[in-house]
Every structure is written in structure tokens, then in C-alpha cells.
Amino acid sequence: KNAETAKSFEAVFLGQMTQMMLESVDKGEFNGGAGEDMFRGVLAEKLGTEIANRGGVGLAPVVLDQILKLQQGR
């Protein structure tokens, strides 16, 4: 359960980072309008989850270690 929590944390973190990257892209003349804006968050969330599922960026093990340390301190 702790490992799942750590992985979920990494997925959310990566989703937020992906969202910021998507928002920073200059779309130029291409614009998907309101539909693009509405689904950009969903795309970022799914990308974050998929990146975490494929090994992530190494954040989950660090978070898991901290969770375990906090639990041992109780």
C-alpha cells in the first residue's frame, strides 16, 4: 500500500509538471480552442500516470523511504 501511495504521488507530480510544460508551449497559429483547453489537464494527468507506470523519474522510491521513516517514528 505504501508503494502504491508513493507511485500515485509521483504520478500526480509528473502530471502537474506535464501540465506546466503543455501550457508553456507556443501553439503559434494552431489552436484547438476550448476543447483543447478542456482536455489539456486530462492529457497531462494521463501522461503523468503513464510515465510513473513506466518507472517514473525516481521520485517514488524516495517518497516511499520517507513514508516508512515516518511510520517507524510513531
Side-chain angles (χ1 to χ4, degrees):
K1 178 159 167 107
N2 290 332
E4 291 174 21
T5 301
K7 189 174 179 181
S8 294
F9 178 85
E10 183 170 28
V12 169
F13 175 80
L14 290 169
Q16 291 294 320
M17 298 308 297
T18 304
Q19 172 112 12
M20 288 191 291
M21 287 189 290
L22 289 172
E23 289 173 356
S24 70
V25 173
D26 180 15
K27 295 181 245 174
E29 294 182 23
F30 178 77
N31 187 347
E36 179 183 350
D37 292 338
M38 183 170 57
F39 288 104
R40 186 180 295 133
V42 174
L43 174 62
E45 179 184 338
K46 297 297 182 189
L47 286 171
T49 300
E50 190 59 30
I51 293 167
N53 286 339
R54 292 177 180 250
V57 294
L59 186 59
V62 176
V63 171
L64 178 58
D65 184 53
Q66 291 302 312
I67 290 171
L68 295 174
K69 284 180 182 177
L70 286 171
Q71 288 177 345
Q72 292 169 358
R74 287 188 204 170

